[in-house]
């Protein structure tokens, strides 16, 4: 019985976070002009097999940091997707940068406070509503 309940719950999470039928647009947001690339990493597939492609890059200009998902970025659609920087792949200690703007195309997220990137070394796309990891990128110093 316990196995059956676990299976039903896991199935619900997969169905709930895999697809959402919302229209998206191709974005072409880029890093601020004359910004310096500080960290970069390729997005990896989350534990439930969501499709993902692209790179996360953190740029700095005049003390302001910006996370850029490059123009090749694509990810499976889902409800309530957010962008975080996190201490771990599965975010429990993280800084939220807001809702994912699009499931494809370049997009930017500006940090409103200071972040220690030696500790917060993952860029993460996460389904907040169902606590489901869609993708992560290990941010390495450039």
């Amino acid at each position: 019985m316990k196995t059956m309940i676990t299976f039903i719950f896991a199935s619900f999470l997969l169905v709930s976070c895999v697809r959402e039928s919302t229209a998206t647009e191709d974005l072409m947001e880029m890093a601020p002009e004359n910004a310096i690339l500080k960290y970069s990493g390729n997005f990896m597939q989350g534990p439930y097999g969501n499709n993902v492609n692209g790179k996360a890059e953190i740029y700095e200009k005049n003390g302001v940091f910006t996370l850029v998902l490059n123009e090749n970025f694509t990810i499976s659609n889902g409800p309530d997707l957010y962008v975080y920087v996190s201490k771990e792949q599965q975010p429990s200690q993280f800084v939220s940068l807001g809702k994912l703007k699009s499931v494809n195309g370049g997009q930017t997220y500006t940090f409103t406070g200071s972040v220690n990137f030696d500790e917060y070394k993952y860029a993460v796309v996460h389904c907040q509503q169902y606590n489901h990891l869609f993708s992560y990128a290990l941010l390495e110093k450039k």
Side-chain angles (χ1 to χ4, degrees):
M1 182 69 169
K2 185 177 178 181
T3 304
M4 181 64 125
I5 292 171
T6 302
F7 175 76
I8 291 169
F9 181 72
S11 297
F12 174 75
L13 284 178
L14 286 174
V15 171
S16 298
C17 279
V18 172
R19 297 271 182 220
E20 180 179 83
S21 60
T22 58
T24 58
E25 58 188 62
D26 287 330
L27 300 178
M28 290 307 291
E29 295 182 33
M30 310 269 277
E33 190 174 330
N34 299 322
I36 299 168
L37 178 62
K38 295 293 204 173
Y39 301 88
S40 178
N42 292 317
F43 276 103
M44 307 299 289
Q45 193 173 37
Y48 301 106
N50 298 313
N51 292 325
V52 65
N53 186 38
K55 185 179 274 191
E57 300 170 322
I58 294 184
Y59 289 86
E60 184 269 331
K61 181 178 180 180
N62 300 327
V64 175
F65 289 88
T66 303
L67 172 69
V68 175
L69 308 184
N70 73 351
E71 66 275 0
N72 297 325
F73 176 77
T74 60
I75 193 164
S76 299
N77 203 354
D80 206 29
L81 295 181
Y82 277 75
V83 177
Y84 302 153
V85 288
S86 175
K87 289 185 176 185
E88 311 86 11
Q89 290 173 4
Q90 181 67 41
S92 61
Q93 297 180 50
F94 60 89
V95 174
S96 177
L97 297 173
K99 280 196 165 274
L100 182 69
K101 296 176 183 178
S102 177
V103 295
N104 52 53
Q107 46 202 287
T108 63
Y109 302 85
T110 302
F111 291 87
T112 57
S114 63
V115 174
N116 180 348
F117 293 108
D118 291 330
E119 291 183 24
Y120 291 83
K121 52 188 169 185
Y122 291 94
V124 175
V125 178
H126 189 262
C127 173
Q128 187 169 295
Q129 182 177 2
Y130 295 104
N131 192 25
H132 176 79
L133 176 64
F134 268 59
S135 183
Y136 64 91
L138 176 61
L139 299 168
E140 298 179 305
K141 203 172 216 172
K142 295 298 166 190

